Amino acid sequence: MSVLLSIQDLKVAFRMGRIDGVMQRFEAVKGVSFDVPENTTVALVGESGSGKSVTAMSVLNLLPDNAERQGAITFMGRDLLAASVPELQGLRGRDIACVFQDPMTSLNPVFTVGQQICEPLVKHLGLGAKQAMQRAEALLVEVGMPEPKRRLKAYPHELSGGQQQRVMIAMALACEPKLLIADEPTTALDVTIQRQIMELLAKLKDKHRMSMLFISHDLGVVGEVADHVVVMRHGTVREQGPVARIFADPHDAYTKALLACRPTLERRGARLMVIDDHIAGHASTSVGKAKDPSAPVIIEATALAKSFWLRTGVFGRREFQAVKGASFRLRRGHTLGVVGESGSGKTTMGLTLLRLHEPSGGPTSGSAMFDGRDLLRLSSREMLPVRRRIQVVFQNPYASLNPRFTIGQTLVEPMTIHRVGQDNAEREARARALLAKVDLDDSAMHKYPHEFSGGQRQRIAIARCLTLSPEVLVLDEAVSALDVSVQAQVLNLLKDLQDELGLAYIFISHDLAVVRFMADEVMVMRNGEVIEQAGVEQILDRPQQEYTKRLMGAIPRGYRPRPAAA
């Protein structure tokens, strides 16, 4: 099998500016070597900061101006490090195409889907406007887009996350490239959409006989799509080999740790081991704190419903029911897991409890009793002290922290608003103590959000919630965007805080393996309705509904021997 892409001894450094007249450099990639054969999927695996995306983006030099590359990158015999900008522009989108993690930031919001798919067809293949639009429609059909002709006129914000990713794949395949670089293409998608995208990529790879460089932190996904795996950490290759060997007999301690730190559907431990624990050979001694089945009920929701007004025509509107009669009890110190696909109503349900939807947006009904009062009937003034006791942690730690505030200001502000502490000195002392509780040191107080990793930002978001001593945390996909090792650290932290402080969690997620680790009870939602609700073991070991079984079947399980091609 001939080699399509060869990367040999690649080094990538970023110039960081001068200190005392000496240019400072950060070495992100330190001598990486691997090949991508024809019609083969090679996966780059590692945690955030391992250098896998920098390695992949070096192929087409999609790096910032302060990057310096050394080594050799050869594509079909051409030296890409020596290629000029016009030569690389000729390759981009035609022979080598990319699909990125977040389609909403990759698609241009002011152009329609059709215009964006047509652009590479006109630029690289010289098609006329009519021919390009016909080809664009055919591409949307190929990637399984519903109502493809209508979607050509849609703008990106009018599509779901899965549909946006299908558009990105259609754009990437427009010129039938020989190599597709897929950088975390399924990370932020729910499990059923993730499954569809993975199967779509595999089918299109075989149909077009193209190679794929697949970047991921999730070995469960990699095991299902890759032929060859390259494991990276701190800018170096720790191990590489055929996918079957990597999963059956990993040689490197880091690879073994990556495989072991992800929660599974098969077992529920008291604690997840993290990468450094595995490498150091430390065994988990935590047994977890037993839950009190008769703990007091802290929130009781009955027939909770939420609708939104959708505009029809110039003056008309219609009602869309996002949540249709959800009922549950949440006990102190317990976790209610809420699962379902995107659009199932799980996030709307959580935000309705918190009164974070404008009443003018649509009617709310039912009740949500908290400390003898119905949250849905409280005035804004009455709701303010309640907000101290019910806090929320969102999915995206980048967007939930003010980039202009230091971490100290971020933590002190809510205490000032709610008059927690006698003075600023006492509030700052409390902020420092909370940073220590989430395993961050005092130096974080004077830094800004951009100076932290995604996992550290999520720890800061959790610390901010704790400044007000809440009794309930609503965790809305709080770990779904984190790599598996950081995810394990945050999940362990949440369990420790629950045991120590008696917190109750509403844990919203599409990842049933994570829900098994965290939850005591599970509520499955679909199209705004609760279709199944029971203890976590009963739901995940003996699901009653076909929808729940389908959710479980969509979860990536890692490598399984594949049937031989006919």
Side-chain angles (χ1 to χ4, degrees):
M1 189 178 295
S2 59
V3 172
L4 182 71
L5 174 74
S6 179
I7 295 177
Q8 299 300 320
D9 196 28
L10 176 67
K11 298 181 179 72
V12 182
F14 294 93
R15 298 186 300 276
M16 306 301 289
R18 294 184 182 275
I19 298 179
D20 297 329
V22 179
M23 178 61 71
Q24 304 297 307
R25 287 175 171 80
F26 169 68
E27 205 172 355
V29 177
K30 308 166 186 177
V32 166
S33 299
F34 63 88
D35 294 333
V36 181
E38 290 182 345
N39 195 28
T40 301
T41 297
V42 174
L44 283 182
V45 183
E47 300 169 272
S48 298
S50 63
K52 56 188 188 297
S53 290
V54 172
T55 299
M57 294 305 104
S58 295
V59 173
L60 288 172
N61 198 20
L62 297 175
L63 295 172
D65 293 338
N66 64 331
E68 298 174 342
R69 300 178 298 162
Q70 294 179 349
I73 302 177
T74 308
F75 176 73
M76 298 178 65
R78 297 172 64 180
D79 181 0
L80 296 189
L81 287 189
S84 65
V85 172
E87 287 177 311
L88 289 174
Q89 288 174 339
L91 283 174
R92 294 169 184 163
R94 178 159 191 168
D95 292 318
I96 305 176
C98 300
V99 176
F100 299 103
Q101 176 176 346
D102 185 358
M104 196 58 204
T105 58
S106 303
L107 294 169
N108 192 322
V110 301
F111 289 123
T112 64
V113 164
Q115 289 171 320
Q116 295 185 66
I117 298 176
C118 286
E119 184 180 9
L121 294 169
V122 173
K123 178 178 175 59
H124 292 300
L125 303 185
L127 298 186
K130 186 175 180 181
Q131 282 180 300
M133 197 60 75
Q134 289 172 342
R135 173 67 178 144
E137 183 180 351
L139 285 164
L140 289 183
V141 171
E142 189 173 12
V143 300
M145 177 71 79
E147 302 181 88
K149 196 175 191 68
R150 186 168 72 86
R151 302 297 184 191
L152 289 172
K153 300 176 183 177
Y155 289 88
H157 73 271
E158 298 178 282
L159 306 180
S160 69
Q163 289 171 340
Q164 290 169 3
Q165 199 61 292
R166 288 173 189 272
V167 171
M168 285 297 301
I169 293 169
M171 289 172 62
L173 295 177
C175 300
E176 299 189 1
K178 296 175 177 64
L179 175 66
L180 178 67
I181 299 174
D183 188 0
E184 302 272 13
T186 64
T187 296
L189 304 177
D190 65 51
V191 285
T192 51
I193 303 300
Q194 181 185 66
R195 168 68 57 189
Q196 292 170 19
I197 296 298
M198 285 164 52
E199 291 176 351
L200 173 64
L201 286 171
K203 182 185 77 173
L204 293 172
K205 169 194 165 277
D206 291 340
K207 178 181 177 181
H208 295 283
R209 297 194 60 77
M210 67 181 177
S211 295
M212 186 156 58
L213 184 57
F214 190 93
I215 303 161
S216 181
H217 62 253
D218 190 343
L219 276 165
V221 172
V222 164
E224 297 200 3
V225 301
D227 303 302
H228 188 88
V229 179
V230 180
V231 182
M232 292 185 64
R233 191 186 197 200
H234 301 328
T236 63
V237 174
R238 296 294 294 259
E239 181 173 8
Q240 61 177 299
V243 64
R245 202 275 297 162
I246 292 289
F247 274 79
D249 183 27
H251 297 165
D252 191 83
Y254 178 65
T255 309
K256 295 174 183 177
L258 273 181
L259 285 164
C261 72
R262 191 176 189 276
T264 68
L265 274 176
E266 287 70 37
R267 63 183 184 275
R268 182 187 186 187
R271 194 169 189 81
L272 293 170
M273 293 286 280
V274 298
I275 296 287
D276 290 338
D277 289 339
H278 279 284
I279 292 175
H282 296 156
S284 175
T285 56
S286 174
V287 294
K289 186 177 178 180
K291 299 294 179 71
D292 178 5
S294 59
V297 173
I298 193 166
I299 290 182
E300 182 169 5
T302 305
L304 183 67
K306 174 64 182 175
S307 296
F308 295 97
W309 297 119
L310 299 181
R311 187 180 298 279
T312 56
V314 179
F315 301 108
R317 66 178 186 179
R318 65 180 178 86
E319 184 179 344
F320 168 71
Q321 270 197 296
V323 179
K324 308 168 186 175
S327 299
F328 63 86
R329 286 182 170 186
L330 178 64
R331 296 184 181 275
R332 188 178 301 278
H334 286 231
T335 299
L336 171 68
V338 185
V339 301
E341 298 171 280
S342 298
S344 62
K346 57 188 189 296
T347 294
T348 301
M349 187 274 295
L351 297 184
T352 300
L353 278 178
L354 292 160
R355 296 276 300 277
L356 292 178
H357 284 305
E358 291 292 333
S360 59
T364 303
S365 61
S367 65
M369 302 305 295
F370 175 73
D371 198 15
R373 295 190 295 175
D374 186 353
L375 295 173
L376 306 185
R377 305 290 177 267
L378 298 180
S379 66
S380 298
R381 190 188 202 92
E382 293 170 321
M383 192 66 193
L384 186 61
V386 173
R387 293 197 188 283
R388 281 187 56 175
R389 302 169 66 187
I390 307 177
Q391 288 283 299
V392 59
V393 179
F394 295 104
Q395 174 178 353
N396 187 351
Y398 296 82
S400 55
L401 298 174
N402 190 327
R404 297 186 178 186
F405 278 16
T406 65
I407 302 311
Q409 291 172 310
T410 295
L411 298 182
V412 167
E413 183 193 37
M415 291 189 276
T416 304
I417 292 171
H418 290 276
R419 299 177 184 174
V420 174
Q422 293 185 351
D423 54 30
N424 212 47
E426 185 177 329
R427 291 169 189 140
E428 285 193 12
R430 179 172 171 79
R432 294 176 194 276
L434 287 170
L435 284 175
K437 195 178 286 291
V438 298
D439 290 332
L440 293 171
D441 59 39
D442 274 7
S443 65
M445 288 285 287
H446 306 292
K447 294 181 179 177
Y448 289 87
H450 73 269
E451 298 179 77
F452 296 89
S453 68
Q456 289 172 325
R457 286 190 186 102
Q458 201 61 294
R459 289 168 182 270
I460 292 164
I462 292 168
R464 180 177 58 184
C465 291
L466 297 179
T467 57
L468 302 178
S469 301
E471 298 163 54
V472 179
L473 285 187
V474 177
L475 299 147
D476 186 9
E477 300 279 12
V479 298
S480 65
L482 305 178
D483 66 50
V484 285
S485 178
V486 176
Q487 183 186 81
Q489 294 170 21
V490 173
L491 291 174
N492 286 337
L493 169 65
L494 290 170
K495 278 218 166 182
D496 291 343
L497 293 171
Q498 187 173 55
D499 290 345
E500 181 184 346
L501 304 174
L503 296 171
Y505 296 148
I506 296 176
F507 192 87
I508 299 168
S509 180
H510 63 255
D511 190 335
L512 285 167
V514 170
V515 167
R516 176 163 208 142
F517 176 73
M518 286 296 299
D520 304 293
E521 184 179 354
V522 177
M523 188 164 77
V524 182
M525 296 188 69
R526 185 187 189 191
N527 296 331
E529 297 181 296
V530 176
I531 64 165
E532 193 164 0
Q533 188 171 351
V536 63
E537 280 82 12
Q538 182 177 333
I539 288 283
L540 298 184
D541 294 340
R542 300 177 298 279
Q544 302 300 306
Q545 298 294 321
E546 284 302 318
Y547 176 72
T548 309
K549 295 175 184 177
R550 195 166 80 243
L551 281 179
M552 294 178 65
I555 295 174
R557 306 296 180 99
Y559 176 75
R560 287 172 287 186
R562 296 157 196 170

